[in-house]
Amino acid sequence: KSFLYKLWKGDVSSKMLNPRLQKAMKDYLSTNKHGVRFKGKRNSKLTGDQLFCELKERVNVKTIDGKEAPFSTLGWEKHVPQIPLGKLYTHGFGSCAVVMSAGAILNSSLGDEIDSHDAVLRFNSAPTRGYEKDVGNKTTMRIINSQILTNPNHHFVESSLYKDVILVAWDPAPYSANLNVWYKKPDYNLFTPYVQHRRKNPNQPFYILHPKFIWQLWDIIQENTKEKIQPNPPSSGFIGILIMMSMCDEVHVYEYIPSVRQTDLCHYHELYYDAACTLGAYHPLLYEKLLVQRMNKVCQDSLTFEDNYCNCFQENMVC
Ligand code: C5P
């Protein structure tokens, strides 16, 4: 209870994590797999509103447009959708839901509320069938990591999860965002299945996020955090919140900052328990959550009553 309360209050540090997660964090810092060389200053003390405005102003959702090497030479301009992601909906959306895949959403009965939004974002292989009462059944967009496209267990080509929705894929690239290096050595080779899928389904909007966008988000998390964060890309959840902030007037985030239902159950659709799913090991998830909590517009007041914090189970950011 006290950890959750502190997270809501925004005063959590990695020292409060269990020893296994602390060790994982340290190992990622020393390995620095993606060659992160942060040149900015850490620990900027922006207020929630300042941070929100800075993110709105600075963050530029960028996808691979086929105009840069090596994609230009490979003829990708004709592979990527003609209409860029930012221009798909000229007037954007009014209110949007970002539905995290956390186990804590089970028994929330949030389904109807989630479906009442103009657009709903989901992640990876998170299903709606069988879970409608808690997670709803509307899906406008799905953010998928490169493992979804490459691991046969996910049945990317056949599964209905990936049909009739906007798809946005990403893969960890070097911090330098050198597209040539990334193309030769992606974490998981999403490029081939992407082109195949585009050929077969030319009318489905399907984008690959530009590594510059991913690392821009990482820089912002590090700039606003005192501790050194894991030198790995932010989680799909954080990436999704930022994409929706660029497309929606209001963003409602479900089960990112854990609710009273907090549990080690990693995903609502899988019987697998690991605290790392909620607090982070590879991803700088704890720090992402602290930033989002700082910008959060609801539930703040109830935190002045220690016993009341449990009423908060969703975040709501209004610009
Ligand atoms: O695990 P996966 O990346 O598919 O989940 C989607 C997103 O939901 C994560 O990137 C993370 O931001 C969020 N999540 C969470 N707590 C969990 C599981 C997922 O905050 N227990």
Side-chain angles (χ1 to χ4, degrees):
K1 176 172 170 173
S2 90
F3 182 83
L4 186 54
Y5 179 70
K6 285 193 161 123
L7 180 62
W8 273 107
K9 292 273 277 182
D11 44 279
V12 153
S13 88
S14 61
K15 307 246 161 27
M16 298 172 192
L17 297 174
N18 74 43
R20 178 179 66 93
L21 295 185
Q22 287 194 42
K23 165 122 194 346
M25 271 193 69
K26 273 205 196 109
D27 291 347
Y28 284 119
L29 272 164
S30 58
T31 310
N32 193 9
K33 175 175 176 194
H34 307 290
V36 171
R37 289 181 62 188
F38 179 63
K39 295 203 190 75
K41 276 210 178 97
R42 293 206 308 260
N43 200 21
S44 111
K45 296 245 168 43
L46 300 181
T47 65
D49 284 344
Q50 289 168 334
L51 187 60
F52 186 55
C53 292
E54 164 142 328
L55 286 175
K56 280 280 216 185
E57 265 168 38
R58 245 176 87 181
V59 171
N60 174 23
V61 181
K62 199 168 150 61
T63 58
I64 297 296
D65 60 9
K67 294 192 170 85
E68 294 168 273
F71 300 102
S72 46
T73 15
L74 295 161
W76 271 53
E77 262 189 279
K78 63 177 194 302
H79 294 322
V80 302
Q82 269 178 354
I83 308 173
L85 178 57
K87 297 215 170 107
L88 264 187
Y89 297 91
T90 26
H91 303 292
F93 296 108
S95 103
C96 296
V98 179
V99 185
M100 299 301 166
S101 312
I105 206 161
L106 284 178
N107 300 316
S108 68
S109 299
L110 283 165
D112 286 342
E113 182 184 317
I114 288 170
D115 283 346
S116 74
H117 293 284
D118 302 318
V120 178
L121 172 65
R122 302 183 194 273
F123 297 93
N124 295 318
S125 61
T128 53
R129 198 186 295 156
Y131 300 93
E132 292 87 348
K133 193 167 170 290
D134 295 328
V135 307
N137 66 17
K138 178 170 168 176
T139 307
T140 315
M141 191 189 299
R142 213 173 256 281
I143 297 192
I144 53 179
N145 58 41
S146 47
Q147 295 175 50
I148 298 287
L149 287 104
T150 52
N151 182 334
N153 293 334
H154 288 297
H155 303 284
F156 175 65
V157 175
E158 311 90 58
S159 170
S160 60
L161 288 174
Y162 312 107
K163 295 192 173 39
D164 304 316
V165 296
I166 305 167
L167 288 177
V168 177
W170 73 278
D171 176 77
Y175 183 75
S176 66
N178 181 321
L179 300 183
N180 285 300
V181 175
W182 179 45
Y183 187 80
K184 274 193 212 127
K185 213 169 166 283
D187 215 20
Y188 293 88
N189 184 355
L190 76 173
F191 303 116
T192 314
Y194 174 79
V195 171
Q196 279 169 357
H197 194 278
R198 287 291 305 150
R199 284 214 177 101
K200 266 201 205 151
N201 310 275
N203 296 323
Q204 179 177 22
F206 185 6
Y207 304 89
I208 295 181
L209 290 174
H210 199 294
K212 270 197 183 143
F213 168 63
I214 310 257
W215 289 112
Q216 182 190 24
L217 298 186
W218 186 91
D219 282 345
I220 289 172
I221 302 166
Q222 182 61 90
E223 281 166 26
N224 289 286
T225 304
K226 196 164 151 192
E227 296 179 53
K228 276 198 174 170
I229 70 171
Q230 292 95 319
N232 301 323
S235 74
S236 299
F238 189 78
I239 293 171
I241 293 171
L242 270 290
I243 291 180
M244 290 322 246
M245 278 173 63
S246 78
M247 297 178 87
C248 313
D249 298 332
E250 271 182 33
V251 181
H252 297 248
V253 184
Y254 294 91
E255 279 304 342
Y256 188 56
I257 311 297
S259 72
V260 270
R261 293 179 300 272
Q262 181 176 21
T263 160
D264 283 351
L265 182 65
C266 183
H267 294 128
Y268 63 82
H269 52 92
E270 230 175 17
L271 212 55
Y272 169 67
Y273 292 83
D274 187 347
C277 298
T278 304
L279 300 174
Y282 174 76
H283 298 293
L285 189 58
L286 183 63
Y287 304 109
E288 301 170 9
K289 291 186 179 193
L290 285 168
L291 278 208
V292 170
Q293 167 60 7
R294 225 197 282 176
M295 293 187 286
N296 184 14
K297 300 270 189 195
V298 299
C299 292
Q300 303 279 30
D301 290 343
S302 54
L303 285 176
T304 50
F305 309 100
E306 181 143 1
D307 289 333
N308 214 6
Y309 78 94
C310 52
N311 291 335
C312 310
F313 53 79
Q314 75 190 67
E315 305 101 65
N316 174 348
M317 295 191 283
V318 184
C319 183

